[in-house]
Amino acid sequence: MSKPRRDKQPEFRPGTWLLGTGPESDIAICTRVRLARNLQDFPFSPRLDEAEAHELYRFVTQRLQKPGLPEALTVLDLQPVEELERTVLVERHLISRELAGSKKPSGVAVDLEESVAVMINEEDHLRVQVFAPGLQPEAAWRRAERLDDALIARLPMAWSEEFGFLTSCPTNTGTGLRLSVMLHLPGLVWSEEIDKATNVAQKIHLAVRGLYGEGSRALGDFYQVSNQVTLGRDETTIQSEVLLAVGRIVQWEREVRSALLRGSARVKTLDRVHRALGTLERAQILTSEEALGCLSAVRFGIEENLLDGFEIPAVNRALLLSQPGHLQRHSKELLKPDERDQRRAQLLREVLGCQR
């Protein structure tokens, strides 16, 4: 097996959600707070006509660009943005797939570190997102709360004394708060206990979704765990419930990992990790799904000290660059699916420092 070399492109910035730092970062990749907000005197987004959507977008962006917000945000108008760049924004978790496919006036306001993103004219008029690396629900909430208070001071939000914040989807009504944690759970997947963990989470009213949220699959053993109920629960209760449940899943994952590294299971685990590395080193064709699966195993190997000479930042870089949008932007050309698979195999060897 060839020797790894250092990643020579440190200028790459993965975004806050993939920094690989923070509490419990070996398992908890990132914490996200998302607030759903709508404006008074405008129909909800699904019922906005073209003129109303233009007016709403103009009204919101004007107020976002005024000085005084606790976050320095730059507004990106999505209408002139090409499909490839929209895909890149989805892969960086700055916009949703729904917003990427929208034809109406829409945009996103982002800070320099990509730790804050405010989507405009998605399912709700505003979707405020704050990211923190690792397991940091309280820190992410404090930052989101400051921004939310500032937005409420300059935008007339749709609010009901009986129901709280009014939203397009009734499941978001109330606080409008979705607190989610992205988890890397190869231990639970490999030991075939992930369905059990998912069922436990769902029984206590938590949603378990894939890498890109609702409707997506859990590629690369990544799962997003979030609250399902927003009405009748305050923000502190939601934080406590999610933190308690995620803490249990993290502990469960640690216990399973420990079991996978003992006795006869250790040989199978080592084989799985090194087979994944061998595929990344030698494969000439790699699909997105296969690449994420191999990178997940390598990440596990690094975290559990089964591999020498590789570092998590290089794996995080590879995770992002293996995605279709980033892959094509890095290649500076639009590629057919089979061309992407060939280029992906080559690029991941370069990123991980695997000399053939």
Side-chain angles (χ1 to χ4, degrees), residues 25-39:
S25 60
D26 57 328
I27 296 173
I29 305 300
C30 143
T31 304
R32 184 196 70 171
V33 167
R34 191 209 72 193
L35 299 171
R37 299 289 184 258
N38 290 280
L39 273 59

Side-chain angles (χ1 to χ4, degrees), residues 18 44 108 126 158 168 198 235 258 279 287 289 354:
L18 202 53
F44 287 141
V108 61
L126 296 175
S168 294
T198 298
E235 293 85 354
S258 179
T279 298
T287 64
E289 184 170 354
C354 302

Side-chain angles (χ1 to χ4, degrees), residues 52-69:
E52 290 168 332
H54 272 289
E55 175 59 22
L56 175 68
Y57 180 77
R58 183 196 64 79
F59 182 76
V60 169
T61 54
Q62 280 184 349
R63 280 151 182 77
L64 284 179
Q65 290 169 331
K66 287 184 176 180
L69 285 178

Side-chain angles (χ1 to χ4, degrees), residues 17-231:
W17 77 274
L18 202 53
L19 284 178
T21 60
E24 315 285 5
S25 60
D26 57 328
I27 296 173
I29 305 300
C30 143
T31 304
R32 184 196 70 171
V33 167
R34 191 209 72 193
L35 299 171
R37 299 289 184 258
N38 290 280
L39 273 59
Q40 296 176 7
D41 303 323
F42 284 94
F44 287 141
S45 288
R47 299 189 63 186
L48 282 174
D49 62 30
E50 186 73 14
E52 290 168 332
H54 272 289
E55 175 59 22
L56 175 68
Y57 180 77
R58 183 196 64 79
F59 182 76
V60 169
T61 54
Q62 280 184 349
R63 280 151 182 77
L64 284 179
Q65 290 169 331
K66 287 184 176 180
L69 285 178
E71 307 289 345
L73 303 177
T74 299
V75 177
L76 173 65
D77 182 357
L78 289 176
Q79 277 203 300
V81 174
E82 296 180 354
E83 181 180 353
L84 176 60
E85 289 303 315
R86 291 187 181 214
T87 301
V88 168
L89 291 171
V90 172
E91 292 170 359
R92 299 183 80 83
H93 290 266
L94 298 176
I95 66 173
S96 63
R97 292 180 299 177
E98 291 73 21
L99 192 62
S102 176
K103 302 299 182 184
K104 63 187 177 186
S106 57
V108 61
V110 185
D111 74 329
L112 188 61
E113 290 77 27
E114 297 185 2
S115 57
V116 176
V118 181
M119 292 186 283
I120 307 166
N121 264 346
E122 204 240 23
E123 182 181 52
D124 293 288
H125 298 155
L126 296 175
R127 287 283 179 93
V128 180
Q129 301 184 105
V130 173
F131 302 93
L135 183 58
Q136 300 191 75
E138 186 177 351
W141 164 247
R142 285 198 304 267
R143 193 173 178 188
E145 186 179 32
R146 287 194 298 270
L147 178 56
D148 189 41
D149 288 344
L151 292 175
I152 290 172
R154 62 179 65 187
L155 291 167
M157 300 297 185
W159 163 269
S160 163
E161 289 293 337
E162 182 178 1
F163 298 111
F165 290 102
L166 302 179
T167 56
S168 294
C169 180
T171 59
N172 290 320
T173 298
T175 61
L177 168 63
R178 293 279 181 168
L179 174 60
S180 65
V181 182
M182 184 180 294
L183 301 172
H184 183 224
L185 303 174
L188 288 170
V189 174
W190 298 357
S191 62
E192 299 182 350
E193 293 194 38
I194 190 64
D195 288 343
K196 190 186 300 182
T198 298
N199 290 336
V200 169
Q202 290 172 341
K203 285 179 181 178
I204 55 176
H205 307 294
L206 296 179
V208 181
R209 299 186 172 104
L211 182 60
Y212 292 105
E214 190 169 2
S216 67
R217 292 183 297 152
L219 300 173
D221 307 321
F222 289 100
Y223 291 82
Q224 291 191 56
V225 179
S226 65
N227 62 297
Q228 283 186 305
V229 179
T230 63
L231 184 62

